[in-house]
Amino acid sequence: MPLPEHPRMSDVAARAGVSLSTVSRALRGASGVAPAVRAEVERAAAELGYVVSRGASSLVTGVTGRIAVLVPFLQPWFFGVALAGVSTRLRASGQDMLVYQVGDVDELDAYVRSLPLRSNVDAVIAVALDLGDTAVARLDEIGLPVVFCGRRVPGRACVFTDDTAAAAGATRHLLNLGHRRVAYVCSRDQTGFSWSSRDRLRGYEAAMAEAGAEAVVVTEPPGHQGGALAMARLLSMAEPPTAVFAESDDVAMGVLQVARRSGIDVPGDVSVMGFDDNDVAALLDLTTVAQPVTEMGERAAELAVRAVRAAGPVRDHVHLDTRLVVRQSTAVPRSRREGPAGGTEQRG
């Protein structure tokens, strides 16, 4: 019998002696197909020269092989790295990734209510979206599995780090070096404080209160420009801080820029701490808190793929650890390094 010029899934099913849905599941690598049956389907597809069509497969099984990823931004370091982690794991599982930029709750609402999102993907990964209970409920209305990446959401599948504990530990590092005048630079954009900003600020304030030290908080826009504005304000104080903890490495870059342009030695006159451990932190020799952003994306993708293939809901909470990376931007304060009348403190 001559082979069809343009083989279809039905041709593969007829040749292998199975149903269309079995062909679709076998060629997608889905579970529930016996190894011998899968091998027979793959053999039939190879003999016919058939390449699986996403569209045909989805008509049979209702599964598209695509997962949507919602992000508030595309450019900052965190989101690019998280997306790379998601993409790597989805590609390894034979899934496609569709990225939607959702800048605020109104945009999220529009996407949730749109027919394309409901019909074109099998699951949704929300990356570091600052969502209230109402917005989370909106996502549930899609009727698809939802996985949260970079944030803990009770009762939902999520991958996260503990920003509050990490910020508290970073603050204690500065306090243990001997700093008592430790300032915190917090970011706020036109929509307000992000959940990570609030959690990191909470950790800083808890550590300062624990040590009986006064919290010094300045708030500026996100990024290195905000960090520069914040450092200018701190240097104008009657009693400038001896250490500055910036809520992100991007903010810390602005802090370092103003300090060095003002002739302030880092860490001789002021210690600087960041958060993230982005690609530039090592080049700047910046002490920071490293969070496993790539792994966050990978683990979120794994949960999404498992949710698509599972019979029931997936509600795993995956808590990943952060770690303190000590470099040359933090040190013992000058007042502790020098003895009485400015003399050098003797050690040993």
Side-chain angles (χ1 to χ4, degrees), residues 5-283:
E5 183 177 355
H6 301 290
R8 297 175 297 177
M9 187 183 294
S10 58
D11 297 318
V12 178
R15 193 176 187 88
V18 298
S19 66
L20 285 174
S21 61
T22 299
V23 172
S24 177
R25 291 198 306 274
L27 296 183
R28 286 187 298 106
S31 59
V33 180
V37 174
R38 190 186 305 277
E40 181 63 23
V41 170
E42 291 174 348
R43 183 191 62 78
E47 290 175 351
L48 292 171
Y50 174 77
V51 178
V52 65
S53 163
R54 294 284 195 192
S57 177
S58 65
L59 288 174
V60 175
T61 66
V63 177
T64 69
R66 293 185 292 266
I67 291 178
V69 184
L70 306 184
V71 293
F73 310 102
L74 293 174
Q75 189 172 20
W77 172 85
F78 177 95
F79 300 100
V81 174
L83 283 174
V86 171
S87 176
T88 297
R89 192 64 75 210
L90 290 184
R91 190 167 59 249
S93 300
Q95 306 288 320
D96 291 332
M97 178 176 75
L98 298 181
V99 179
Y100 295 85
Q101 184 175 359
V102 181
D104 54 34
V105 174
D106 291 337
E107 288 186 16
L108 173 65
D109 190 65
Y111 275 112
V112 168
R113 294 179 182 278
S114 70
L115 181 61
L117 181 59
R118 293 170 183 263
S119 61
N120 286 347
V121 300
D122 304 319
V124 175
I125 299 173
V127 178
L129 290 180
D130 192 7
L131 305 177
D133 292 340
T134 301
V136 172
R138 277 278 190 270
L139 282 176
D140 287 340
E141 292 176 6
I142 300 176
L144 298 172
V146 179
V147 176
F148 293 87
C149 175
R151 184 184 180 192
R152 182 180 183 276
V153 181
R156 302 294 195 280
C158 54
V159 183
F160 61 96
T161 58
D162 190 335
D163 283 88
T164 301
T171 305
R172 291 190 193 100
H173 172 72
L174 296 171
L175 292 166
N176 290 338
L177 286 174
H179 296 279
R180 284 299 174 267
R181 185 76 170 162
V182 179
Y184 182 79
V185 180
C186 189
S187 297
R188 176 174 182 161
D189 61 18
Q190 63 272 19
T191 64
F193 295 102
S194 69
W195 60 268
S196 60
S197 294
R198 293 189 295 269
D199 286 352
R200 292 173 193 178
L201 175 60
R202 189 178 298 116
Y204 159 79
E205 290 178 331
M208 293 294 283
E210 179 185 272
E214 179 185 0
V216 179
V217 180
V218 293
T219 301
E220 292 291 350
H224 72 275
Q225 292 181 332
L229 292 170
M231 189 58 176
R233 287 175 55 188
L234 291 170
L235 292 179
S236 69
M237 292 180 173
E239 186 182 355
T242 63
V244 178
F245 179 14
E247 77 161 36
S248 72
D249 291 345
D250 287 340
V251 172
M253 291 175 199
V255 171
L256 289 171
Q257 180 184 53
V258 169
R260 287 166 179 166
R261 285 183 177 179
S262 302
I264 305 297
D265 180 58
V266 177
D269 299 316
V270 62
S271 289
V272 178
M273 167 85 71
F275 198 112
D276 280 335
D277 198 26
N278 69 21
D279 296 337
V280 181
L283 296 177

